[in-house]
Amino acid sequence: MTVRHCVIPAAGLGTRFLPATKALPKELLPVLERPVIEWAAEEAVAAGATDLVLVLAEGKDSVADHLRPDPDLERILDERGKTAELEAVRHAGHLARVSVVHQRAPRGLGDAVLCAAGEVGENAFLCMLPDDLSVAERPILAQLWDAHVELGTTVLALMRVGPDQISRYGCADIAESRGRRHRVRGLVEKPKADEAKSDLAVMGRYVLTPDIFAALRDTRPGALGEVQLTDGIGALLERGEVWGVEFEGELLDVGTPAGWLQTNIRLAARDPALRRALDAALASAAA
Ligand code: G1P
């Protein structure tokens, strides 16, 4: 079993980041010197994906352009001897094959994933929401794929969150645990804190099996009036097992202004070239 596709739903309006995202898709906001979509693509490729399927809203195709070759820009940088810049531009444009499908209306994450059905075909595939960056020795998507190879089922990324946080996420009801792997009995999207069956939240990284598409076609709008991926996966439980992995490593939020700022600072602190500038800025801010 080898990975081929990674579906990246990126059709959202970016309302949490307005007005920055009025004209600029949130997936093109920079985190250090690279846009969010490139960090996401890197993780997918590190987990073995060769084909990225971007689910975009009309007008957001610039997100895909970032991951495509740009021969004119490459030629100019080459002529000017801008070797490092040329390398960076080439890198982004040749990470993987890229295809785009459009979600015509914001009908929810489940509907967005369903839009990718024609591209993915009959194989299990990776799916990731680019609102968080993965910082892990083994990429989180790769940890999920490892579990999929052993178990053969749909696999979700799970993380323990506090009771005040769970209503922001899909929540897993657990039937059985083997170390950091948990067999899921049920899933509820955005439960009220006092109705949550566990503290295990679904974290926007998935291995999905192709039967998800039929399940999503039959899924009616749920939480927030949207077709929820969580509900589509929940429907698979009637026929087989679904597992979750409490992954090793961290997800860093880049989908909200505060999270984005913290993530930039965390990553800058690890970058020798930026560390001094960061220290100087923080020292002067504290003065
Ligand atoms: C989506 C999913 C939810 C998951 C979350 C992770 O929700 O529907 O199950 O827990 O991503 O970030 P959203 O954040 O789009 O509201």
Side-chain angles (χ1 to χ4, degrees):
M1 273 194 282
T2 50
V3 197
R4 186 167 164 211
H5 294 94
C6 181
V7 173
I8 306 182
L13 296 173
T15 46
R16 282 179 290 200
F17 242 116
L18 285 168
T21 49
K22 181 166 174 270
L24 180 75
K26 68 174 174 176
E27 295 79 11
L28 291 181
L29 291 169
V31 175
L32 304 189
E33 75 291 356
R34 292 192 276 154
V36 165
I37 193 64
E38 187 174 333
W39 292 87
E42 295 263 10
E43 182 188 346
V45 168
T50 54
D51 294 65
L52 306 180
V53 183
L54 305 187
V55 185
L56 302 176
E58 302 285 352
K60 287 185 74 177
D61 286 10
S62 52
V63 176
D65 292 343
H66 181 77
L67 298 175
R68 290 190 165 129
D70 186 341
D72 290 340
L73 179 59
E74 289 178 24
R75 183 178 43 74
I76 293 167
L77 292 172
D78 192 24
E79 282 167 7
R80 296 186 182 174
K82 301 249 179 218
T83 319
E85 292 84 349
L86 174 61
E87 186 44 46
V89 163
R90 272 200 186 131
H91 175 79
H94 294 88
L95 276 165
R97 276 187 292 273
V98 175
S99 58
V100 170
V101 293
H102 289 112
Q103 187 185 25
R104 305 276 162 209
R107 290 196 203 94
L109 179 58
D111 179 72
V113 171
L114 182 53
C115 292
E119 295 294 317
V120 169
E122 286 304 308
N123 303 306
F125 60 99
L126 306 171
C127 177
M128 72 183 302
L129 310 184
D131 280 344
D132 296 285
L133 309 186
S134 148
V135 177
E137 236 163 77
R138 183 153 175 72
I140 293 171
L141 282 172
Q143 297 177 39
L144 301 190
W145 188 262
D146 292 343
H148 169 73
V149 169
E150 278 178 49
L151 301 162
T153 66
T154 295
V155 180
L156 319 171
L158 296 176
M159 189 175 89
R160 294 194 187 276
V161 301
D164 55 327
Q165 296 290 308
I166 195 72
S167 58
R168 291 173 47 191
Y169 298 102
C171 175
D173 184 10
I174 301 305
E176 165 196 358
S177 298
R178 295 184 200 155
R180 296 179 77 94
R181 291 184 181 170
H182 308 279
R183 186 163 64 79
V184 174
R185 186 190 349 245
L187 289 166
V188 178
E189 181 67 21
K190 299 191 174 42
K192 294 200 182 110
D194 56 354
E195 289 169 11
K197 298 278 191 196
S198 79
D199 61 350
L200 285 167
V202 179
M203 291 310 293
R205 299 284 189 286
Y206 312 82
V207 176
L208 298 170
T209 49
D211 52 353
I212 190 65
F213 297 123
L216 286 172
R217 275 184 205 107
D218 290 340
T219 300
R220 303 276 67 86
L224 313 178
E226 297 179 342
V227 177
Q228 296 292 347
L229 179 59
T230 306
D231 295 338
I233 297 171
L236 299 178
L237 286 164
E238 287 163 27
R239 274 157 277 159
E241 295 187 354
V242 169
W243 283 77
V245 173
E246 234 183 296
F247 57 83
E248 318 246 4
E250 265 188 284
L251 283 172
L252 305 183
D253 176 27
V254 293
T256 63
W260 174 86
L261 180 63
Q262 286 174 316
T263 297
N264 273 279
I265 291 172
R266 287 271 309 268
L267 295 174
R270 295 166 17 148
D271 180 324
L274 292 171
R275 176 79 210 209
R276 284 178 57 189
L278 176 65
D279 287 345
L282 293 177
S284 65

